[in-house]
Amino acid sequence: MTESVALPTSGYLIERIYAPLQRCEALVVDEKHPPAANANVTFGWDWRVIGGDKFEVVVTVQYDSSRERTEVVAVSVVGIFRMQGERPSVELLDFVRVHAPAILMPYAREIVSSLT
């Protein structure tokens, strides 16, 4: 029989992940105004405290049309996180700048993949 491992008593918990924006638009190619040669890809993130020990982080990915792909795709993924314990080993600002976006990006990538 295996022994259970003692879990840390401080850190960050994921309470919820959802995608409020999932958009894919196919554009009609117009010879007078053709799409750019290369797609313009935009990545953004933001965060805010939503009360007590809870905060949310949003990751946004968008790419414009190009000659090879004539669709415009925009996706936002929001994660609601909660601090647990007295003092997590990772500082809050480090978590929202590095770790939370890394947690949310696979969800954004899957949505982009499903839409296209």
Side-chain angles (χ1 to χ4, degrees):
M1 185 168 173
T2 60
E3 294 182 26
S4 62
V5 177
L7 296 175
T9 58
S10 66
Y12 301 96
L13 300 174
I14 300 171
E15 290 205 345
R16 181 176 175 205
I17 295 176
Y18 63 98
L21 173 63
Q22 300 179 41
R23 182 176 59 120
C24 181
E25 296 178 43
L27 301 178
V28 176
V29 177
D30 182 359
E31 291 180 15
K32 292 180 182 178
H33 302 95
N38 297 316
N40 184 23
V41 178
T42 306
F43 170 80
W45 71 270
D46 201 0
W47 75 285
R48 69 182 179 128
V49 175
I50 56 176
D53 58 353
K54 288 186 183 181
F55 58 96
E56 69 180 9
V57 177
V58 60
V59 169
T60 304
V61 178
Q62 177 174 332
Y63 72 84
D64 298 328
S65 64
S66 68
R67 289 185 188 140
E68 292 179 2
R69 294 194 113 150
T70 58
E71 61 264 354
V72 175
V73 176
V75 173
S76 287
V77 177
V78 178
I80 297 177
F81 298 90
R82 180 170 52 91
M83 274 192 283
Q84 174 180 307
E86 292 180 23
R87 187 163 193 262
S89 59
V90 176
E91 295 295 327
L92 177 63
L93 290 179
D94 290 335
F95 184 81
V96 299
R97 281 187 267 188
V98 177
H99 302 285
I103 291 168
L104 298 175
M105 275 305 292
Y107 294 92
R109 186 174 44 243
E110 178 61 31
I111 294 168
V112 169
S113 177
S114 296
L115 289 174
T116 58

